[in-house]
């Protein structure tokens, strides 16, 4: 019999798992979509360019999108992870070859400020930090605890995150972007 051939996309990604003393981790929680924000909880990351090493991709990510973190963290270890899922953009099976850089925050510096989202619930307060990526797109970041991450990855939590982000005015934040 003839074996069925399938096209698989392979993407190399470098991510940053940055943790504070209190155990909270720095996550991207949204991106601008029109005049509002679409909620998405993920570690900050970047696709690696052709021939680029994982640590070079991390440096590029921090310099271009997370400048407020420069010199504020120490990478303690790296982890390699392979995930396979369908690409949302291309609709084909995609293998994500991830290098996760586990780091500890060394000093808080200027990243202690942010916009407080009034959760009006039993969630801890959520402060959102904005930054513009290399393509000029506005991204939102926050320090989240494990319970918040687990919640925001559920369908209910995704809706809740969208509600929280709807409090933000995208046009206003764009002028205040770091």
């Amino acid at each position: 019999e003839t074996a069925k051939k399938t096209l698989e996309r392979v993407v190399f990604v470098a991510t940053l798992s940055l943790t504070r003393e209190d155990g909270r981790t720095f996550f991207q929680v949204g991106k601008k979509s029109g005049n509002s924000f679409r909620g998405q909880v993920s570690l900050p990351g970047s696709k690696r360019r052709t021939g680029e090493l994982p640590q070079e991709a991390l440096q590029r990510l921090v310099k271009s999108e997370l400048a407020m973190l420069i010199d504020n963290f120490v990478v303690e270890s790296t982890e390699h992870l392979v995930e396979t899922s369908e690409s949302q953009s291309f609709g084909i099976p995609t293998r994500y070859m991830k290098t996760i850089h586990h780091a500890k925050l060394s000093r808080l510096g200027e990243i202690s400020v942010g916009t407080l989202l009034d959760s009006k619930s039993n969630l801890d307060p959520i402060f959102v930090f904005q930054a513009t990526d290399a393509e000029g797109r506005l991204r939102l970041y926050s320090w989240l605890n494990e319970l918040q991450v687990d919640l925001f990855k559920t369908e209910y939590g995704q809706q809740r995150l969208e509600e929280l982000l709807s409090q933000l005015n995208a046009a206003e934040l764009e002028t205040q972007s770091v």
Side-chain angles (χ1 to χ4, degrees):
E1 285 187 42
T2 313
K4 185 179 175 185
K5 294 183 181 180
T6 355
L7 179 66
E8 182 181 64
R9 180 173 168 249
V10 178
V11 178
F12 292 87
V13 179
T15 62
L16 175 64
S17 177
L18 179 61
T19 306
R20 297 193 312 201
E21 236 178 57
D22 65 1
R24 289 177 182 260
T25 302
F26 196 69
F27 279 92
Q28 178 179 318
V29 293
K31 28 174 132 168
K32 186 175 177 200
S33 179
N35 284 333
S36 61
F37 291 99
R38 189 183 79 208
Q40 170 192 348
V41 175
S42 62
L43 292 173
S46 178
K47 291 178 189 169
R48 287 173 38 200
R49 295 177 177 160
T50 304
E52 187 176 49
L53 296 172
Q55 52 273 47
E56 293 170 336
L58 176 66
Q59 289 171 351
R60 179 175 47 79
L61 170 71
V62 173
K63 284 180 184 174
S64 65
E65 298 179 31
L66 304 172
M68 72 277 210
L69 295 176
I70 290 178
D71 300 326
N72 286 318
F73 69 92
V74 175
V75 174
E76 296 185 331
S77 65
T78 57
E79 172 186 4
H80 300 282
L81 184 67
V82 179
E83 293 177 352
T84 304
S85 63
E86 187 167 305
S87 166
Q88 290 180 352
S89 303
F90 298 101
I92 61 173
T94 303
R95 185 176 304 205
Y96 296 94
M97 312 292 282
K98 293 184 177 184
T99 302
I100 303 169
H101 296 86
H102 295 277
K104 293 280 184 204
L105 189 67
S106 55
R107 60 179 197 194
L108 202 50
E110 295 180 24
I111 54 178
S112 60
V113 297
T115 303
L116 174 65
L117 295 183
D118 179 14
S119 65
K120 296 179 184 168
S121 72
N122 58 355
L123 285 176
D124 287 343
I126 298 172
F127 288 89
V128 175
F129 308 87
Q130 64 267 2
T132 305
D133 69 14
E135 285 82 41
R137 297 175 298 215
L138 194 59
R139 308 255 183 204
L140 299 175
Y141 299 92
S142 186
W143 293 101
L144 301 178
N145 63 38
E146 284 183 46
L147 292 173
Q148 291 169 320
V149 173
D150 290 343
L151 171 67
F152 290 145
K153 289 192 175 186
T154 67
E155 189 176 328
Y156 167 78
Q158 183 69 29
Q159 291 171 351
R160 192 71 191 104
L161 180 59
E162 298 279 344
E163 288 172 21
L164 292 171
L165 295 180
S166 71
Q167 298 173 29
L168 300 174
N169 179 328
E172 225 174 80
L173 279 179
E174 227 167 328
T175 61
Q176 303 168 11
S177 186
V178 191

